[in-house]
Amino acid sequence: MDRAAPVRPRGGARETPDFVLFDVDPHQSTFAGAVKVARQLRAELDAAKVQSYVKTTGKSGLHVLTPWKAKDGGYAESRAWAMVIAQVVIALPIVMG
């Protein structure tokens, strides 16, 4: 997983993200490997009862997006949450293709 970052609304302030984006790129693996990581990420989010959406990046990877509500906090809180989720997924034994 390349990064996990809050996404600000169009024209909105950075401090008020409305999505968190997880960027899954294959790098030295294959697209199938990126799909495996994205599926595992989505399974972790589902287990936490967090809605998520997967989309292609337009290059060689995938984006997994989750809605973020202002009541859950601002940029710092969304980034901290995203990093925790990313570390959990990175630590999982995912077999890359």
Side-chain angles (χ1 to χ4, degrees):
M1 188 171 333
D2 272 354
R3 65 187 170 110
V7 178
R8 66 179 174 201
R10 290 183 196 189
R14 177 180 177 189
E15 285 303 313
T16 57
D18 57 358
F19 278 90
V20 172
L21 178 142
F22 296 90
D23 188 12
V24 182
D25 286 324
H27 292 291
Q28 296 175 351
S29 182
T30 63
F31 183 73
V35 169
K36 288 179 184 180
V37 173
R39 283 185 176 156
Q40 188 62 49
L41 171 58
R42 189 134 191 232
E44 292 298 316
L45 293 168
D46 286 348
K49 299 189 183 331
V50 175
Q51 188 176 24
S52 64
Y53 307 92
V54 179
K55 65 179 227 161
T56 58
T57 63
K59 289 190 177 181
S60 60
L62 299 164
H63 285 168
V64 179
L65 295 135
T66 63
W68 186 263
K69 297 186 178 12
K71 69 176 180 61
D72 295 326
Y75 181 87
E77 294 81 7
S78 61
R79 179 153 174 79
W81 175 81
M83 295 309 292
V84 168
I85 296 295
Q87 291 302 314
V88 167
V89 172
I90 288 168
L92 294 171
I94 301 170
V95 178
M96 298 301 287

